[in-house]
Amino acid sequence: MANSRESFTSAQTPTDDGQLSEVNANNPNALRELLQLRLQECGWYDSIRKMIRNILIKRGAKNVTYEEIHAEIVPKARALVPEEVRKELQLIVRDALESTKR
């Protein structure tokens, strides 16, 4: 996916490539792996790296602590997760929970 604003097409949904069936009690890491994949596809990781690099350049690597970087980056990083990714994962979790109720 070239642009974080693009919508996921039905060809990209996890139900089409079998990833949804992996999200269950037998494979608890599947959801995390899917999230990582989607964030990589939309360029989220690159954006976060740039933000961290800018902080280090602006303040100097020796003048900033991990905790300060964390406190500044985490809220911005959460806000940068594309809505399409949030919705897709929410649907997968909902479907997985409903399938365990049956």
Side-chain angles (χ1 to χ4, degrees), residues 61-91:
K62 294 183 180 183
N63 299 326
V64 65
T65 65
Y66 170 82
E67 290 79 16
E68 291 170 336
I69 294 171
H70 182 269
E72 187 171 335
I73 294 295
V74 168
K76 293 176 184 178
R78 288 181 179 153
L80 286 175
V81 174
E83 190 63 30
E84 294 87 5
V85 174
R86 291 177 194 264
K87 287 179 181 179
E88 178 184 15
L89 293 175
Q90 186 179 38
L91 289 173

Side-chain angles (χ1 to χ4, degrees), residues 47 49-60:
S47 298
R49 283 187 197 102
K50 288 177 186 175
M51 289 171 39
I52 293 170
R53 188 173 294 125
N54 288 337
I55 290 172
L56 294 174
I57 290 170
K58 183 178 175 183
R59 297 186 194 171

Side-chain angles (χ1 to χ4, degrees), residues 11-53:
Q12 294 171 315
T13 60
T15 53
D16 291 340
D17 60 15
Q19 290 173 333
L20 177 60
S21 62
E22 294 178 9
V23 180
N24 57 36
N26 297 329
N27 191 354
N29 292 323
L31 185 61
R32 181 177 49 86
E33 292 169 3
L34 178 61
L35 174 60
Q36 290 173 341
L37 174 67
R38 295 300 190 240
L39 292 176
Q40 184 67 42
E41 290 173 345
C42 72
W44 182 88
Y45 284 110
D46 294 332
S47 298
I48 301 307
R49 283 187 197 102
K50 288 177 186 175
M51 289 171 39
I52 293 170
R53 188 173 294 125

